[in-house]
Each structure stands twice: as C-alpha cells, then as structure tokens.
C-alpha cells in the first residue's frame, strides 16, 4: 500500500484517476462510495472533480451510487420534508453535488435516499420509498451488493459504511424497530410535487447507531475481501459488498449485540442491549 505524496498541494483529476486505478477500481465496476473530501487534500474543482474521476474510471458500463440521506422525520429540527427534487443531502457536500447532476437518479425514501449515475442507474433506485425500509432486502444498496458492487471508503472508516446496515436487516436483528437518535417522531415527512406535506408511518426496520462498526476490522476474513490504498492523502478501503454481507450476517445472528456501541443515552444502543437481555 503506497501512500500518496502528501507534499502535493493541489490534487487534480488525473491524480485521482491514477490513485483509483491503484486502489483496484476498474472499468465496469459498480460501487457505492462514502467520503471525506477534505481528507484527500485540496482538490482542484472540488466535489465535481472527484465524481468525474470515479465516472471516468468505471466508464459507461459502470455505476456509481452515493447515500443522500436527509433524515426527514417529523420533529427533527433542521431538516425539511423530503422532496427528491430539492431536499439537500445531509451526508456531505459531495453527496449533495452528486444527486443534483443532470444524469443522476435519486430514490424516493424520505430519510435514507440514495442517488445513482451510470448503467441502469434508474433500476437501482426503483421502489425505494416511504413504504419500504431504508435498508434490507432489495433496497438499492442491497441490489448493488448482489450485483457485484463494491464499497469505497475515502478518508472514512466503516462507521460510514451503509452496507453494514443491510447486513443488520438481513440478519433480522430483534431491535431494528427501536428509534435511533435522529428519530424524533413516528412519521416520515414527505413533500409532494404540489407542495402538500404527508405524514407516513415509519418503517418497522430502522437504521441504527454505527459508532461501533469499526469492529469489523477485527473479524476473521475481512482482510481477504478488503484492500487499502490512498487517494490523494486520504486512506481508503475498497470492499466487496456482497462478501461483506455474507461475512457479517452469521456473526450478527449469533451475537446480535456485536455492532452495538457502549454508549448510554442518545443512540439507544443501551436500550437494544436491554432488550436482548430480557429475551434471554
């Protein structure tokens, strides 16, 4: 694993393309990426340069997906009712730039939408809406994984890896209905195209705390499905999504608390632990 030259002040399109190729990203790949743009260094052209580099490397036969989460729950101050044509992403600048591109498709899920660009992009976001779980069977991230999709983490750890939430749902963890810190009411808020606002009951399978997701670095088999490298100055990981799910589901079925953090309070992991104890 070669570290990029941190003395380079400006990082342009060609440099990012070169580093992606060194990481193992190639033509025809399908991937979801999570990133910290600033971790790369000063990127000439900003978010669009990173997106253009990814699209250049995977080519016309490839696909890029990004989370564009908005957390549009009733009572969640600071967020607006969800309208996929105008509601800003709360998962970073790059994701907000990504979904606004003319060739992007965005799903209808009011709290955990994703956006896609590339081959069959629209297919991956179909039927992901206020009446379906954010993650789980046949949701966009699961579809991507099943079709050979990769997870690219740029300057972030597995705490940002949404594919792990898919594994939690497929393992059918008993506490998925317990609300996380982002949830303030029992309803999603959706803004229709005519400006009307609808309140939709929450899914019974909710995303949870991801603070402890870094634990997967220590499980047997993770090194075989993950490679590391650098894009600019950012330490990155490239992981096979489906193999990650296959690795995690049996672990989670055996130990549902494996990915719960040790905190007490806002994230509600302590409530989930209590539920597991009461079930024993």
């Amino acid at each position: 694993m070669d570290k990029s030259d941190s003395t380079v002040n400006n990082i342009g399109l060609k440099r990012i393309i070169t580093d992606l190729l060194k990481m193992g990203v190639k033509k025809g790949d399908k991937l979801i990426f999570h990133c910290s743009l600033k971790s790369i260094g000063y990127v000439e052209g900003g978010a669009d340069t990173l997106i253009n580099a990814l699209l250049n490397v995977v080519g016309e036969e490839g696909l890029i997906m990004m989370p564009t989460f908005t957390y549009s729950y009733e009572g969640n101050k600071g967020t607006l009712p969800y309208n996929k044509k105008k509601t800003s992403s709360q998962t970073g600048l790059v994701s907000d730039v990504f979904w606004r591109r003319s060739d992007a498709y965005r799903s209808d899920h009011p709290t955990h939408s994703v956006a896609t660009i590339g081959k069959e992009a629209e297919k991956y976001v179909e039927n992901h809406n206020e009446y379906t779980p954010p993650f789980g069977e046949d949701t966009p991230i699961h579809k991507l994984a099943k079709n050979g999709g990769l997870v690219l983490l740029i300057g972030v750890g597995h705490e940002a890896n949404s594919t792990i939430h898919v594994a939690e749902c497929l393992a059918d963890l008993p506490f998925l209905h317990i609300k996380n810190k982002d949830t303030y009411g029992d309803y999603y808020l959706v803004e229709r195209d005519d400006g009307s606002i609808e309140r939709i009951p929450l899914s019974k399978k909710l995303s949870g705390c991801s603070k402890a997701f870094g634990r997967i670095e220590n499980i047997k088999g993770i090194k075989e499905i993950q490679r590391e490298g650098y894009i600019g100055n950012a330490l990155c990981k490239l992981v096979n999504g489906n193999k990650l799910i296959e690795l995690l589901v049996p672990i989670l079925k055996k130990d549902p608390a494996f990915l719960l953090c040790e905190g007490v309070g806002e994230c509600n992991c302590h409530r989930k632990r209590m539920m597991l104890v009461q079930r024993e």
Side-chain angles (χ1 to χ4, degrees), residues 24-94:
V25 183
K26 61 186 185 300
K27 292 289 184 186
D29 275 348
K30 296 178 280 290
L31 63 85
I32 179 170
F33 78 104
H34 308 262
C35 74
S36 164
L37 184 64
K38 67 180 181 180
S39 69
I40 299 173
Y42 178 76
V43 177
E44 298 173 352
D48 276 311
T49 295
L50 175 59
I51 295 166
N52 289 338
L54 283 159
L55 292 172
N56 179 288
V57 172
V58 303
E60 294 182 358
E61 293 299 305
L63 176 89
I64 303 295
M65 179 182 289
M66 276 211 85
T68 57
F69 304 162
T70 57
Y71 311 113
S72 296
Y73 298 106
E74 182 180 56
N76 189 4
K77 295 179 181 179
T79 59
L80 299 171
Y82 181 65
N83 183 314
K84 71 178 180 181
K85 298 177 182 177
K86 64 181 184 180
T87 307
S88 296
S89 169
Q90 301 296 311
T91 47
L93 172 66
V94 179

Side-chain angles (χ1 to χ4, degrees), residues 98-118:
F98 186 87
W99 78 260
R100 295 179 190 274
R101 290 172 69 114
S102 60
D103 51 351
Y105 293 89
R106 192 181 192 187
S107 73
D108 289 307
H109 200 278
T111 57
H112 291 82
S113 63
V114 301
T116 49
I117 299 176

Side-chain angles (χ1 to χ4, degrees), residues 173-190:
L173 299 182
F175 46 69
L176 292 175
H177 65 285
I178 294 179
K179 299 174 189 176
N180 195 31
K181 61 181 179 180
D182 300 310
T183 309
Y184 293 85
D186 294 321
Y187 297 90
Y188 299 127
L189 291 181
V190 179

Side-chain angles (χ1 to χ4, degrees), residues 170-229:
L170 295 182
D172 198 24
L173 299 182
F175 46 69
L176 292 175
H177 65 285
I178 294 179
K179 299 174 189 176
N180 195 31
K181 61 181 179 180
D182 300 310
T183 309
Y184 293 85
D186 294 321
Y187 297 90
Y188 299 127
L189 291 181
V190 179
E191 180 183 337
R192 302 304 182 189
D193 288 339
D194 63 3
S196 62
I197 307 299
E198 288 191 30
R199 299 163 70 245
I200 311 293
L202 295 184
S203 164
K204 294 186 182 300
K205 291 188 176 182
L206 304 170
S207 63
C209 174
S210 61
K211 292 177 185 176
F213 283 7
R215 289 178 186 161
I216 74 169
E217 293 285 5
N218 299 317
I219 63 177
K220 184 178 180 180
I222 189 66
K223 301 302 182 185
E224 286 72 28
I225 65 170
Q226 172 177 285
R227 63 185 302 175
E228 294 186 349

